[in-house]
Amino acid sequence: MSTFGSIQEFGPLLRQEAIRRGLALALQVVLLIDGAAGLANLGRLCFAGAIQIVDFYHALEHAGKVLVALLGSKEHPDYKRRLGRWAKQLLKDQVEKLIAQTRQACAGQSRAAAVEKELAYFVNNVERMQYGSFRRQGFFIGSGVVEAGCKTIIGARCKQSGMFWGEPGAEHILALRCVHSSRRLDPFWKARLNAQAARNDCLALTA
């Protein structure tokens, strides 16, 4: 499934695809997102009751932004050490502790406002960052498999040398590529032929 539509259009399409793939039989639904408010809201509207998890590598990327605001630069000698500590503590369900420690480290300093701005990502996603608990339940905490699929299905088709796409053309070819990669090409054509026949407008036979 692919679309260039808005997130409001994407949510119902995603739910429809999930139903086709057996959503009703799932004992537990997990939604892996990047932490953006729009996707969190999509989850609440279209997958009520699902466990939402912020992709661990997005969380580390934002941890780096917090540390840059705190230390001033990625070149600071403590940057890598502290980022490694963030990774370990996040995997131990200690996101709230990290928030408190960071606020304490910059309390009363001019950089406090910039640090607080970057910390908002974690403050808003505390429940979605309990990575230790999620891993113990056997849930994925990284979206690498999905992103690799996007590169294979979309990037490999639309980002080759010399390619230029308008949105309608790209949307059509990607929809067809998703159908093909999902091994649904034959059912797709059968449904299309049946729809044409139902309208008494059968496709012309080729010679």
Side-chain angles (χ1 to χ4, degrees):
M1 183 194 73
S2 65
T3 180
F4 283 88
S6 67
I7 194 170
Q8 289 79 13
E9 297 171 304
F10 178 70
L13 291 174
L14 182 61
R15 179 173 177 80
Q16 185 178 18
E17 179 65 12
I19 290 172
R20 188 188 72 80
R21 292 174 177 268
L23 175 67
L25 302 177
L27 297 178
Q28 178 63 65
V29 177
V30 176
L31 192 66
L32 194 57
I33 63 176
D34 64 4
L39 288 177
N41 189 52
L42 178 153
R44 286 190 291 269
L45 291 175
C46 299
F47 298 94
I51 293 176
Q52 295 189 13
I53 301 175
V54 170
D55 170 64
F56 181 70
Y57 299 98
H58 277 85
L60 277 188
E61 181 181 349
H62 280 268
K65 293 180 180 180
V66 171
L67 291 174
V68 167
L70 179 65
L71 302 174
S73 168
K74 286 186 178 181
E75 306 306 318
H76 192 284
D78 283 344
Y79 176 82
K80 290 185 178 179
R81 179 180 62 82
R82 291 199 182 194
L83 187 60
R85 189 177 71 185
W86 270 76
K88 291 178 181 178
Q89 289 187 252
L90 284 172
L91 291 173
K92 295 179 181 178
D93 295 347
Q94 294 182 359
V95 60
E96 290 175 293
K97 182 177 180 180
L98 283 167
I99 293 170
Q101 289 175 339
T102 305
R103 283 172 170 168
Q104 184 177 9
C106 66
Q109 300 182 26
S110 59
R111 60 195 176 196
V115 172
E116 191 64 34
K117 180 181 178 181
E118 299 299 342
L119 277 178
Y121 180 83
F122 294 91
V123 174
N124 295 332
N125 287 295
V126 167
E127 293 182 358
R128 303 181 184 94
M129 292 183 174
Q130 303 303 312
Y131 297 113
S133 297
F134 295 146
R135 292 177 85 186
R136 285 191 292 273
Q137 295 176 73
F139 300 150
F140 281 103
I141 62 171
S143 61
V145 173
V146 176
E147 293 185 17
C150 289
K151 289 181 180 179
T152 301
I153 302 300
I154 296 174
R157 182 63 182 86
C158 290
K159 295 183 179 180
Q160 297 183 51
S161 178
M163 286 190 170
F164 298 92
W165 295 89
E167 186 172 308
E171 187 155 24
H172 292 157
I173 196 64
L174 290 178
L176 187 60
R177 187 163 172 81
C178 286
V179 169
H180 180 268
S181 298
S182 299
R183 300 176 182 177
R184 296 189 309 171
L185 195 58
D186 286 344
F188 167 78
W189 285 119
K190 288 178 182 178
R192 181 174 172 80
L193 286 168
N194 288 337
Q196 291 288 339
R199 292 199 296 268
N200 294 318
D201 184 22
C202 297
L203 296 176
L205 296 176
T206 59

